[in-house]
Amino acid sequence: MKLLTIENLVRKFSLKVLTGENQLQQTITQSRSHRPGLEFVGHFDFFPTERVQILGRKEITYLHKLSIEERQIRIGNIVKYHPPCFIVTAGQEGLTYLTQYCVEEGIPLLCTNEPQTTSEFITKLDAYMIKTLAPEIAIHGVCVNVYGMGILLRGKSGVGKSETAHTLIGRGHRLVADDIVVLKKLSPRTILGTHDGKTKEFLALRSVGLLNVVRLYGRKAFQDETRIALDIELTKWQKNSLNNELEHEPTFTEYMDVQIPHIEIQLQPGRDVAGLIEAAANNWLLKQQGYSAAEEFMKRLESDSSW
């Protein structure tokens, strides 16, 4: 998990700093923001004080309608909890009273510059904070996006992961990361795959060297991140170890307590590994839609035997 500061938010979203220029290095620990509503009317039982507080048109309009004395009470009740910062959206004006309280309490007060609704800004802000603060690990492997699905290619060094990724790129798919894949846990069921920044756009091929896939094949050959759907392990060919069962028992690889469907593909000269990966990706998608080729085949057999 990376360190997230208020200054990171200022730079990412081009926020204007109204107060608290000296407090921008304060860290943010919560991955979601909060719009104080009940807190303005005195209910603080579940007030998430460690979250970034968002003040949109509804909140600011409510404060404008209060008397000076009542407004001081409402704002004072919130700022005394010292949230990381306040962000005012939707181009609100007349914030002199809010600025005064934030200066007195040393709380950064920021405002958006882009013309967007509060809901739109919160969606972008929360998505950024969730990704930045997500637990993460780095694994050895390759990450590609095939038919819109994130796939991890793992295996021993030299087994052919990068070469397989190169073949997939030639078929119109995208590279996400080579050698070092960073996995981020966005939710109890979601793992995001990305690069570590240093290897971005690079693919290392034995006997050829380091390639920049964007320079060679265009922007369409690279994708910055992808949700991981399949974990595919490439292994050396072992005679008599494969079988022709109609449907294999599902197996999973666990990353940060999230289970990812696992498939093993054995390598042999002349075997179309990239084609098998494409087939696995499409088959996984069909299963998500409730279709099983094995089940349909068995139904056909049962139907024929009934005659």
PDB file of all heavy atoms in Angstrom, residues 108-141:
ATOM      1  N   PRO A 108      -6.781  21.730   5.913  1.00  0.00           N
ATOM      2  CA  PRO A 108      -6.765  22.163   4.508  1.00  0.00           C
ATOM      3  C   PRO A 108      -8.183  22.247   3.934  1.00  0.00           C
ATOM      4  O   PRO A 108      -8.982  21.330   4.095  1.00  0.00           O
ATOM      5  CB  PRO A 108      -5.954  21.063   3.809  1.00  0.00           C
ATOM      6  CG  PRO A 108      -5.094  20.488   4.881  1.00  0.00           C
ATOM      7  CD  PRO A 108      -5.948  20.530   6.125  1.00  0.00           C
ATOM      8  N   LEU A 109      -8.460  23.353   3.282  1.00  0.00           N
ATOM      9  CA  LEU A 109      -9.728  23.552   2.580  1.00  0.00           C
ATOM     10  C   LEU A 109      -9.401  23.671   1.100  1.00  0.00           C
ATOM     11  O   LEU A 109      -8.652  24.559   0.682  1.00  0.00           O
ATOM     12  CB  LEU A 109     -10.435  24.815   3.073  1.00  0.00           C
ATOM     13  CG  LEU A 109     -11.729  25.200   2.346  1.00  0.00           C
ATOM     14  CD1 LEU A 109     -12.785  24.104   2.504  1.00  0.00           C
ATOM     15  CD2 LEU A 109     -12.261  26.536   2.870  1.00  0.00           C
ATOM     16  N   LEU A 110      -9.959  22.774   0.300  1.00  0.00           N
ATOM     17  CA  LEU A 110      -9.671  22.704  -1.123  1.00  0.00           C
ATOM     18  C   LEU A 110     -10.949  22.875  -1.923  1.00  0.00           C
ATOM     19  O   LEU A 110     -12.045  22.671  -1.396  1.00  0.00           O
ATOM     20  CB  LEU A 110      -9.031  21.353  -1.467  1.00  0.00           C
ATOM     21  CG  LEU A 110      -7.967  20.820  -0.498  1.00  0.00           C
ATOM     22  CD1 LEU A 110      -7.610  19.385  -0.835  1.00  0.00           C
ATOM     23  CD2 LEU A 110      -6.732  21.708  -0.525  1.00  0.00           C
ATOM     24  N   CYS A 111     -10.827  23.208  -3.185  1.00  0.00           N
ATOM     25  CA  CYS A 111     -12.008  23.290  -4.041  1.00  0.00           C
ATOM     26  C   CYS A 111     -11.652  22.823  -5.447  1.00  0.00           C
ATOM     27  O   CYS A 111     -10.506  22.948  -5.885  1.00  0.00           O
ATOM     28  CB  CYS A 111     -12.602  24.702  -4.061  1.00  0.00           C
ATOM     29  SG  CYS A 111     -11.574  25.939  -4.865  1.00  0.00           S
ATOM     30  N   THR A 112     -12.646  22.278  -6.125  1.00  0.00           N
ATOM     31  CA  THR A 112     -12.439  21.768  -7.484  1.00  0.00           C
ATOM     32  C   THR A 112     -12.465  22.913  -8.484  1.00  0.00           C
ATOM     33  O   THR A 112     -13.105  23.942  -8.270  1.00  0.00           O
ATOM     34  CB  THR A 112     -13.511  20.741  -7.854  1.00  0.00           C
ATOM     35  OG1 THR A 112     -14.810  21.371  -7.767  1.00  0.00           O
ATOM     36  CG2 THR A 112     -13.498  19.559  -6.895  1.00  0.00           C
ATOM     37  N   ASN A 113     -11.773  22.705  -9.590  1.00  0.00           N
ATOM     38  CA  ASN A 113     -11.742  23.705 -10.661  1.00  0.00           C
ATOM     39  C   ASN A 113     -12.566  23.277 -11.863  1.00  0.00           C
ATOM     40  O   ASN A 113     -13.113  24.107 -12.579  1.00  0.00           O
ATOM     41  CB  ASN A 113     -10.289  23.953 -11.106  1.00  0.00           C
ATOM     42  CG  ASN A 113      -9.497  24.732 -10.072  1.00  0.00           C
ATOM     43  OD1 ASN A 113      -9.997  25.701  -9.515  1.00  0.00           O
ATOM     44  ND2 ASN A 113      -8.278  24.296  -9.802  1.00  0.00           N
ATOM     45  N   GLU A 114     -12.648  21.957 -12.090  1.00  0.00           N
ATOM     46  CA  GLU A 114     -13.350  21.460 -13.264  1.00  0.00           C
ATOM     47  C   GLU A 114     -14.864  21.512 -13.072  1.00  0.00           C
ATOM     48  O   GLU A 114     -15.365  21.251 -11.974  1.00  0.00           O
ATOM     49  CB  GLU A 114     -12.925  20.013 -13.559  1.00  0.00           C
ATOM     50  CG  GLU A 114     -11.458  19.880 -13.901  1.00  0.00           C
ATOM     51  CD  GLU A 114     -11.097  18.450 -14.244  1.00  0.00           C
ATOM     52  OE1 GLU A 114     -12.012  17.615 -14.334  1.00  0.00           O
ATOM     53  OE2 GLU A 114      -9.893  18.180 -14.420  1.00  0.00           O
ATOM     54  N   PRO A 115     -15.615  21.838 -14.140  1.00  0.00           N
ATOM     55  CA  PRO A 115     -17.079  21.863 -14.058  1.00  0.00           C
ATOM     56  C   PRO A 115     -17.647  20.443 -14.044  1.00  0.00           C
ATOM     57  O   PRO A 115     -17.786  19.809 -15.088  1.00  0.00           O
ATOM     58  CB  PRO A 115     -17.490  22.620 -15.330  1.00  0.00           C
ATOM     59  CG  PRO A 115     -16.366  22.362 -16.291  1.00  0.00           C
ATOM     60  CD  PRO A 115     -15.126  22.278 -15.460  1.00  0.00           C
ATOM     61  N   GLN A 116     -17.950  19.922 -12.881  1.00  0.00           N
ATOM     62  CA  GLN A 116     -18.501  18.581 -12.749  1.00  0.00           C
ATOM     63  C   GLN A 116     -19.369  18.528 -11.512  1.00  0.00           C
ATOM     64  O   GLN A 116     -19.228  19.341 -10.595  1.00  0.00           O
ATOM     65  CB  GLN A 116     -17.373  17.545 -12.643  1.00  0.00           C
ATOM     66  CG  GLN A 116     -16.420  17.794 -11.487  1.00  0.00           C
ATOM     67  CD  GLN A 116     -15.231  16.863 -11.504  1.00  0.00           C
ATOM     68  OE1 GLN A 116     -15.330  15.724 -11.917  1.00  0.00           O
ATOM     69  NE2 GLN A 116     -14.071  17.351 -11.052  1.00  0.00           N
ATOM     70  N   THR A 117     -20.297  17.597 -11.493  1.00  0.00           N
ATOM     71  CA  THR A 117     -21.173  17.458 -10.348  1.00  0.00           C
ATOM     72  C   THR A 117     -20.417  16.845  -9.176  1.00  0.00           C
ATOM     73  O   THR A 117     -19.351  16.235  -9.350  1.00  0.00           O
ATOM     74  CB  THR A 117     -22.381  16.571 -10.678  1.00  0.00           C
ATOM     75  OG1 THR A 117     -21.920  15.225 -10.911  1.00  0.00           O
ATOM     76  CG2 THR A 117     -23.115  17.082 -11.900  1.00  0.00           C
ATOM     77  N   THR A 118     -20.973  17.002  -7.991  1.00  0.00           N
ATOM     78  CA  THR A 118     -20.348  16.442  -6.796  1.00  0.00           C
ATOM     79  C   THR A 118     -20.267  14.927  -6.895  1.00  0.00           C
ATOM     80  O   THR A 118     -19.256  14.322  -6.525  1.00  0.00           O
ATOM     81  CB  THR A 118     -21.145  16.846  -5.541  1.00  0.00           C
ATOM     82  OG1 THR A 118     -21.217  18.277  -5.473  1.00  0.00           O
ATOM     83  CG2 THR A 118     -20.479  16.326  -4.281  1.00  0.00           C
ATOM     84  N   SER A 119     -21.314  14.298  -7.399  1.00  0.00           N
ATOM     85  CA  SER A 119     -21.322  12.838  -7.538  1.00  0.00           C
ATOM     86  C   SER A 119     -20.226  12.361  -8.484  1.00  0.00           C
ATOM     87  O   SER A 119     -19.557  11.350  -8.223  1.00  0.00           O
ATOM     88  CB  SER A 119     -22.690  12.364  -8.036  1.00  0.00           C
ATOM     89  OG  SER A 119     -23.703  12.666  -7.108  1.00  0.00           O
ATOM     90  N   GLU A 120     -20.034  13.067  -9.584  1.00  0.00           N
ATOM     91  CA  GLU A 120     -18.983  12.701 -10.537  1.00  0.00           C
ATOM     92  C   GLU A 120     -17.604  12.808  -9.898  1.00  0.00           C
ATOM     93  O   GLU A 120     -16.750  11.932 -10.072  1.00  0.00           O
ATOM     94  CB  GLU A 120     -19.059  13.601 -11.773  1.00  0.00           C
ATOM     95  CG  GLU A 120     -20.268  13.350 -12.657  1.00  0.00           C
ATOM     96  CD  GLU A 120     -20.387  14.365 -13.766  1.00  0.00           C
ATOM     97  OE1 GLU A 120     -19.791  15.468 -13.640  1.00  0.00           O
ATOM     98  OE2 GLU A 120     -21.068  14.078 -14.761  1.00  0.00           O
ATOM     99  N   PHE A 121     -17.403  13.875  -9.147  1.00  0.00           N
ATOM    100  CA  PHE A 121     -16.103  14.061  -8.501  1.00  0.00           C
ATOM    101  C   PHE A 121     -15.855  12.989  -7.448  1.00  0.00           C
ATOM    102  O   PHE A 121     -14.748  12.436  -7.365  1.00  0.00           O
ATOM    103  CB  PHE A 121     -16.017  15.442  -7.857  1.00  0.00           C
ATOM    104  CG  PHE A 121     -14.755  15.656  -7.068  1.00  0.00           C
ATOM    105  CD1 PHE A 121     -13.542  15.840  -7.725  1.00  0.00           C
ATOM    106  CD2 PHE A 121     -14.767  15.642  -5.681  1.00  0.00           C
ATOM    107  CE1 PHE A 121     -12.366  16.013  -7.006  1.00  0.00           C
ATOM    108  CE2 PHE A 121     -13.605  15.810  -4.957  1.00  0.00           C
ATOM    109  CZ  PHE A 121     -12.396  16.008  -5.622  1.00  0.00           C
ATOM    110  N   ILE A 122     -16.862  12.671  -6.653  1.00  0.00           N
ATOM    111  CA  ILE A 122     -16.702  11.653  -5.616  1.00  0.00           C
ATOM    112  C   ILE A 122     -16.368  10.302  -6.231  1.00  0.00           C
ATOM    113  O   ILE A 122     -15.532   9.556  -5.718  1.00  0.00           O
ATOM    114  CB  ILE A 122     -17.974  11.557  -4.754  1.00  0.00           C
ATOM    115  CG1 ILE A 122     -18.105  12.812  -3.878  1.00  0.00           C
ATOM    116  CG2 ILE A 122     -17.970  10.309  -3.883  1.00  0.00           C
ATOM    117  CD1 ILE A 122     -19.372  12.865  -3.052  1.00  0.00           C
ATOM    118  N   THR A 123     -17.016   9.972  -7.351  1.00  0.00           N
ATOM    119  CA  THR A 123     -16.733   8.703  -8.027  1.00  0.00           C
ATOM    120  C   THR A 123     -15.267   8.623  -8.440  1.00  0.00           C
ATOM    121  O   THR A 123     -14.602   7.604  -8.217  1.00  0.00           O
ATOM    122  CB  THR A 123     -17.628   8.547  -9.264  1.00  0.00           C
ATOM    123  OG1 THR A 123     -19.004   8.530  -8.851  1.00  0.00           O
ATOM    124  CG2 THR A 123     -17.317   7.250 -10.000  1.00  0.00           C
ATOM    125  N   LYS A 124     -14.754   9.689  -9.023  1.00  0.00           N
ATOM    126  CA  LYS A 124     -13.349   9.710  -9.452  1.00  0.00           C
ATOM    127  C   LYS A 124     -12.401   9.701  -8.256  1.00  0.00           C
ATOM    128  O   LYS A 124     -11.383   8.996  -8.264  1.00  0.00           O
ATOM    129  CB  LYS A 124     -13.087  10.951 -10.312  1.00  0.00           C
ATOM    130  CG  LYS A 124     -13.847  10.969 -11.626  1.00  0.00           C
ATOM    131  CD  LYS A 124     -13.566  12.255 -12.389  1.00  0.00           C
ATOM    132  CE  LYS A 124     -14.358  12.310 -13.689  1.00  0.00           C
ATOM    133  NZ  LYS A 124     -14.123  13.592 -14.405  1.00  0.00           N
ATOM    134  N   LEU A 125     -12.739  10.474  -7.233  1.00  0.00           N
ATOM    135  CA  LEU A 125     -11.886  10.566  -6.049  1.00  0.00           C
ATOM    136  C   LEU A 125     -11.795   9.225  -5.332  1.00  0.00           C
ATOM    137  O   LEU A 125     -10.701   8.755  -4.990  1.00  0.00           O
ATOM    138  CB  LEU A 125     -12.433  11.635  -5.103  1.00  0.00           C
ATOM    139  CG  LEU A 125     -11.723  11.773  -3.751  1.00  0.00           C
ATOM    140  CD1 LEU A 125     -10.285  12.255  -3.952  1.00  0.00           C
ATOM    141  CD2 LEU A 125     -12.484  12.730  -2.834  1.00  0.00           C
ATOM    142  N   ASP A 126     -12.942   8.592  -5.094  1.00  0.00           N
ATOM    143  CA  ASP A 126     -12.948   7.314  -4.381  1.00  0.00           C
ATOM    144  C   ASP A 126     -12.220   6.230  -5.170  1.00  0.00           C
ATOM    145  O   ASP A 126     -11.489   5.411  -4.604  1.00  0.00           O
ATOM    146  CB  ASP A 126     -14.386   6.874  -4.089  1.00  0.00           C
ATOM    147  CG  ASP A 126     -15.014   7.668  -2.960  1.00  0.00           C
ATOM    148  OD1 ASP A 126     -14.314   8.495  -2.361  1.00  0.00           O
ATOM    149  OD2 ASP A 126     -16.212   7.462  -2.675  1.00  0.00           O
ATOM    150  N   ALA A 127     -12.407   6.213  -6.489  1.00  0.00           N
ATOM    151  CA  ALA A 127     -11.716   5.224  -7.317  1.00  0.00           C
ATOM    152  C   ALA A 127     -10.202   5.393  -7.206  1.00  0.00           C
ATOM    153  O   ALA A 127      -9.460   4.406  -7.097  1.00  0.00           O
ATOM    154  CB  ALA A 127     -12.158   5.349  -8.775  1.00  0.00           C
ATOM    155  N   TYR A 128      -9.747   6.629  -7.221  1.00  0.00           N
ATOM    156  CA  TYR A 128      -8.314   6.900  -7.101  1.00  0.00           C
ATOM    157  C   TYR A 128      -7.788   6.487  -5.733  1.00  0.00           C
ATOM    158  O   TYR A 128      -6.719   5.853  -5.626  1.00  0.00           O
ATOM    159  CB  TYR A 128      -8.055   8.390  -7.337  1.00  0.00           C
ATOM    160  CG  TYR A 128      -6.639   8.826  -7.033  1.00  0.00           C
ATOM    161  CD1 TYR A 128      -5.585   8.440  -7.857  1.00  0.00           C
ATOM    162  CD2 TYR A 128      -6.360   9.614  -5.923  1.00  0.00           C
ATOM    163  CE1 TYR A 128      -4.279   8.847  -7.582  1.00  0.00           C
ATOM    164  CE2 TYR A 128      -5.062  10.016  -5.634  1.00  0.00           C
ATOM    165  CZ  TYR A 128      -4.028   9.631  -6.462  1.00  0.00           C
ATOM    166  OH  TYR A 128      -2.750  10.021  -6.176  1.00  0.00           O
ATOM    167  N   MET A 129      -8.508   6.815  -4.670  1.00  0.00           N
ATOM    168  CA  MET A 129      -8.038   6.489  -3.326  1.00  0.00           C
ATOM    169  C   MET A 129      -8.075   4.990  -3.071  1.00  0.00           C
ATOM    170  O   MET A 129      -7.186   4.442  -2.410  1.00  0.00           O
ATOM    171  CB  MET A 129      -8.880   7.239  -2.278  1.00  0.00           C
ATOM    172  CG  MET A 129      -8.684   8.741  -2.298  1.00  0.00           C
ATOM    173  SD  MET A 129      -9.348   9.596  -0.846  1.00  0.00           S
ATOM    174  CE  MET A 129     -11.113   9.229  -0.986  1.00  0.00           C
ATOM    175  N   ILE A 130      -9.098   4.306  -3.598  1.00  0.00           N
ATOM    176  CA  ILE A 130      -9.184   2.848  -3.430  1.00  0.00           C
ATOM    177  C   ILE A 130      -7.983   2.171  -4.080  1.00  0.00           C
ATOM    178  O   ILE A 130      -7.356   1.283  -3.496  1.00  0.00           O
ATOM    179  CB  ILE A 130     -10.501   2.308  -4.022  1.00  0.00           C
ATOM    180  CG1 ILE A 130     -11.685   2.712  -3.137  1.00  0.00           C
ATOM    181  CG2 ILE A 130     -10.458   0.792  -4.152  1.00  0.00           C
ATOM    182  CD1 ILE A 130     -13.036   2.376  -3.728  1.00  0.00           C
ATOM    183  N   LYS A 131      -7.638   2.582  -5.294  1.00  0.00           N
ATOM    184  CA  LYS A 131      -6.495   1.981  -5.992  1.00  0.00           C
ATOM    185  C   LYS A 131      -5.182   2.292  -5.285  1.00  0.00           C
ATOM    186  O   LYS A 131      -4.310   1.431  -5.140  1.00  0.00           O
ATOM    187  CB  LYS A 131      -6.430   2.487  -7.433  1.00  0.00           C
ATOM    188  CG  LYS A 131      -7.504   1.928  -8.340  1.00  0.00           C
ATOM    189  CD  LYS A 131      -7.323   2.443  -9.759  1.00  0.00           C
ATOM    190  CE  LYS A 131      -8.411   1.924 -10.673  1.00  0.00           C
ATOM    191  NZ  LYS A 131      -8.258   2.443 -12.060  1.00  0.00           N
ATOM    192  N   THR A 132      -5.040   3.530  -4.842  1.00  0.00           N
ATOM    193  CA  THR A 132      -3.785   3.945  -4.218  1.00  0.00           C
ATOM    194  C   THR A 132      -3.571   3.269  -2.868  1.00  0.00           C
ATOM    195  O   THR A 132      -2.452   2.867  -2.532  1.00  0.00           O
ATOM    196  CB  THR A 132      -3.752   5.464  -4.049  1.00  0.00           C
ATOM    197  OG1 THR A 132      -3.971   6.099  -5.315  1.00  0.00           O
ATOM    198  CG2 THR A 132      -2.411   5.925  -3.490  1.00  0.00           C
ATOM    199  N   LEU A 133      -4.632   3.135  -2.089  1.00  0.00           N
ATOM    200  CA  LEU A 133      -4.517   2.594  -0.736  1.00  0.00           C
ATOM    201  C   LEU A 133      -4.752   1.082  -0.672  1.00  0.00           C
ATOM    202  O   LEU A 133      -4.702   0.495   0.408  1.00  0.00           O
ATOM    203  CB  LEU A 133      -5.510   3.302   0.192  1.00  0.00           C
ATOM    204  CG  LEU A 133      -5.242   4.795   0.430  1.00  0.00           C
ATOM    205  CD1 LEU A 133      -6.363   5.414   1.256  1.00  0.00           C
ATOM    206  CD2 LEU A 133      -3.895   5.004   1.116  1.00  0.00           C
ATOM    207  N   ALA A 134      -5.013   0.454  -1.804  1.00  0.00           N
ATOM    208  CA  ALA A 134      -5.300  -0.982  -1.812  1.00  0.00           C
ATOM    209  C   ALA A 134      -4.079  -1.786  -1.389  1.00  0.00           C
ATOM    210  O   ALA A 134      -2.950  -1.464  -1.772  1.00  0.00           O
ATOM    211  CB  ALA A 134      -5.743  -1.419  -3.204  1.00  0.00           C
ATOM    212  N   PRO A 135      -4.282  -2.864  -0.612  1.00  0.00           N
ATOM    213  CA  PRO A 135      -3.164  -3.777  -0.297  1.00  0.00           C
ATOM    214  C   PRO A 135      -2.605  -4.331  -1.600  1.00  0.00           C
ATOM    215  O   PRO A 135      -3.356  -4.626  -2.534  1.00  0.00           O
ATOM    216  CB  PRO A 135      -3.837  -4.878   0.533  1.00  0.00           C
ATOM    217  CG  PRO A 135      -5.088  -4.267   1.062  1.00  0.00           C
ATOM    218  CD  PRO A 135      -5.542  -3.300   0.010  1.00  0.00           C
ATOM    219  N   GLU A 136      -1.292  -4.492  -1.677  1.00  0.00           N
ATOM    220  CA  GLU A 136      -0.705  -4.961  -2.921  1.00  0.00           C
ATOM    221  C   GLU A 136       0.474  -5.883  -2.672  1.00  0.00           C
ATOM    222  O   GLU A 136       1.118  -5.826  -1.617  1.00  0.00           O
ATOM    223  CB  GLU A 136      -0.281  -3.792  -3.806  1.00  0.00           C
ATOM    224  CG  GLU A 136       0.843  -2.946  -3.233  1.00  0.00           C
ATOM    225  CD  GLU A 136       1.260  -1.817  -4.152  1.00  0.00           C
ATOM    226  OE1 GLU A 136       0.363  -1.102  -4.662  1.00  0.00           O
ATOM    227  OE2 GLU A 136       2.478  -1.645  -4.370  1.00  0.00           O
ATOM    228  N   ILE A 137       0.713  -6.748  -3.654  1.00  0.00           N
ATOM    229  CA  ILE A 137       1.882  -7.617  -3.645  1.00  0.00           C
ATOM    230  C   ILE A 137       2.462  -7.614  -5.051  1.00  0.00           C
ATOM    231  O   ILE A 137       1.775  -7.264  -6.019  1.00  0.00           O
ATOM    232  CB  ILE A 137       1.536  -9.063  -3.221  1.00  0.00           C
ATOM    233  CG1 ILE A 137       0.488  -9.662  -4.171  1.00  0.00           C
ATOM    234  CG2 ILE A 137       1.079  -9.125  -1.781  1.00  0.00           C
ATOM    235  CD1 ILE A 137       0.222 -11.136  -3.923  1.00  0.00           C
ATOM    236  N   ALA A 138       3.722  -8.016  -5.175  1.00  0.00           N
ATOM    237  CA  ALA A 138       4.360  -8.145  -6.483  1.00  0.00           C
ATOM    238  C   ALA A 138       4.716  -9.608  -6.708  1.00  0.00           C
ATOM    239  O   ALA A 138       5.244 -10.269  -5.809  1.00  0.00           O
ATOM    240  CB  ALA A 138       5.601  -7.265  -6.561  1.00  0.00           C
ATOM    241  N   ILE A 139       4.401 -10.131  -7.898  1.00  0.00           N
ATOM    242  CA  ILE A 139       4.719 -11.513  -8.216  1.00  0.00           C
ATOM    243  C   ILE A 139       5.521 -11.562  -9.506  1.00  0.00           C
ATOM    244  O   ILE A 139       5.492 -10.631 -10.315  1.00  0.00           O
ATOM    245  CB  ILE A 139       3.445 -12.375  -8.355  1.00  0.00           C
ATOM    246  CG1 ILE A 139       2.633 -11.927  -9.576  1.00  0.00           C
ATOM    247  CG2 ILE A 139       2.603 -12.333  -7.096  1.00  0.00           C
ATOM    248  CD1 ILE A 139       1.516 -12.884  -9.946  1.00  0.00           C
ATOM    249  N   HIS A 140       6.220 -12.669  -9.694  1.00  0.00           N
ATOM    250  CA  HIS A 140       6.970 -12.866 -10.935  1.00  0.00           C
ATOM    251  C   HIS A 140       6.039 -13.491 -11.967  1.00  0.00           C
ATOM    252  O   HIS A 140       5.397 -14.509 -11.710  1.00  0.00           O
ATOM    253  CB  HIS A 140       8.158 -13.794 -10.692  1.00  0.00           C
ATOM    254  CG  HIS A 140       8.891 -14.156 -11.947  1.00  0.00           C
ATOM    255  ND1 HIS A 140       9.581 -13.237 -12.704  1.00  0.00           N
ATOM    256  CD2 HIS A 140       9.010 -15.342 -12.598  1.00  0.00           C
ATOM    257  CE1 HIS A 140      10.119 -13.833 -13.744  1.00  0.00           C
ATOM    258  NE2 HIS A 140       9.784 -15.120 -13.722  1.00  0.00           N
ATOM    259  N   GLY A 141       5.946 -12.862 -13.121  1.00  0.00           N
ATOM    260  CA  GLY A 141       5.076 -13.375 -14.166  1.00  0.00           C
ATOM    261  C   GLY A 141       4.818 -12.339 -15.226  1.00  0.00           C
ATOM    262  O   GLY A 141       5.537 -11.335 -15.344  1.00  0.00           O
TER     263      GLY A 141
END
